[in-house]
Amino acid sequence: MRRLGLLLLTGSATLLVFGFWIPLKALLAQELLALAWAKSQAGQEVQRPWPWADTWPVARLAFPDLGQSLIVLEGGHGESLAFGPGRVPTGAAGPWIIAGHRDTHFRHLGELVPGSEVRLQGRDGQWRRFQVASTQVVDSRRAWIDPSRLPEHSLLLITCYPFDSFDSGGPLRYVVTAKPWPASGDPGDGPDDRVARL
């Protein structure tokens, strides 16, 4: 009986550790990425967050209404998305398309509504403000995004859907489309205090 209890306790502890591993890795990676981002801005050159990384920080994404700020990595592949949201390459000019996992970095994406503010900081330190224009759920088997048909200065945020599903790799995607903040709005030079403290 004692062995069975020990086996159950060990099995439970193992499952608990594995259950928290992905969110913990995502959180710790953002700290290392923030350091690499600061170095990239200071030197205006690419800084890898750890020596063996196959990606690097390219932007900071901020959601003032949610009090959230994230470092965006180059590439929308699995290696990047395990550590942070990733920029999907669209060519030299064009829209920003950023993908992230629904259970870690983009778990709050569903809280954005039309009119919500999103900010994006480039390596030059300048912040660009966007306003959410729409949110939609699309089936990736029937719809795909053609960057050449999107406005050059638009921003798309993409994650898997539904947010609370236990089934990973499904075909549905949650897409947030944002456009540059209206010209009459105050452009600001950085995120407000709710984001700056993060």
Side-chain angles (χ1 to χ4, degrees):
M1 192 64 158
R2 183 175 277 176
R3 286 184 182 177
L4 179 60
L6 183 59
L7 181 63
L8 287 174
L9 181 63
T10 303
S12 298
T14 302
L15 288 174
L16 188 62
V17 167
F18 281 112
F20 285 116
W21 172 243
I22 291 176
L24 182 62
K25 179 172 73 169
L27 181 65
L28 292 174
Q30 280 292 309
E31 294 300 321
L32 293 173
L33 294 172
L35 291 172
W37 177 242
K39 289 179 183 176
S40 292
Q41 288 185 298
Q44 288 296 305
E45 59 186 44
V46 169
Q47 292 288 323
R48 295 184 188 276
W50 41 86
W52 61 91
D54 62 352
T55 185
W56 53 91
V58 293
R60 179 183 288 273
L61 183 64
F63 305 105
D65 295 339
L66 306 179
Q68 185 180 21
S69 176
L70 301 163
I71 302 298
V72 178
L73 295 168
E74 179 61 31
H77 47 78
E79 292 82 6
S80 293
L81 297 183
F83 300 105
R87 177 177 69 172
V88 178
T90 60
W96 273 75
I97 300 176
I98 301 174
H101 286 309
R102 64 176 164 76
D103 55 353
T104 54
H105 302 102
F106 275 4
R107 68 183 174 276
H108 299 298
L109 214 58
E111 297 175 34
L112 296 176
V113 297
S116 293
E117 181 181 4
V118 179
R119 295 186 183 195
L120 187 68
Q121 182 186 40
R123 270 206 337 243
D124 62 1
Q126 297 298 311
W127 286 91
R128 292 171 42 204
R129 292 177 73 193
F130 294 87
Q131 185 176 48
V132 173
S134 67
T135 61
Q136 62 181 329
V137 175
V138 298
D139 188 328
S140 64
R141 296 170 297 189
R142 296 181 182 89
W144 60 284
I145 296 169
D146 181 359
S148 67
R149 302 186 79 175
L150 297 170
E152 183 179 337
H153 298 291
S154 59
L155 172 67
L156 265 66
L157 307 174
I158 303 170
T159 193
C160 291
Y161 187 83
F163 292 100
D164 57 358
S165 175
F166 291 110
D167 184 24
S168 63
L172 299 180
R173 301 292 179 264
Y174 190 80
V175 180
V176 174
T177 303
K179 58 185 180 180
W181 196 263
S184 61
D186 174 22
D189 58 3
D192 65 20
D193 289 339
R194 289 172 292 171
V195 173
R197 286 194 297 266
L198 296 178

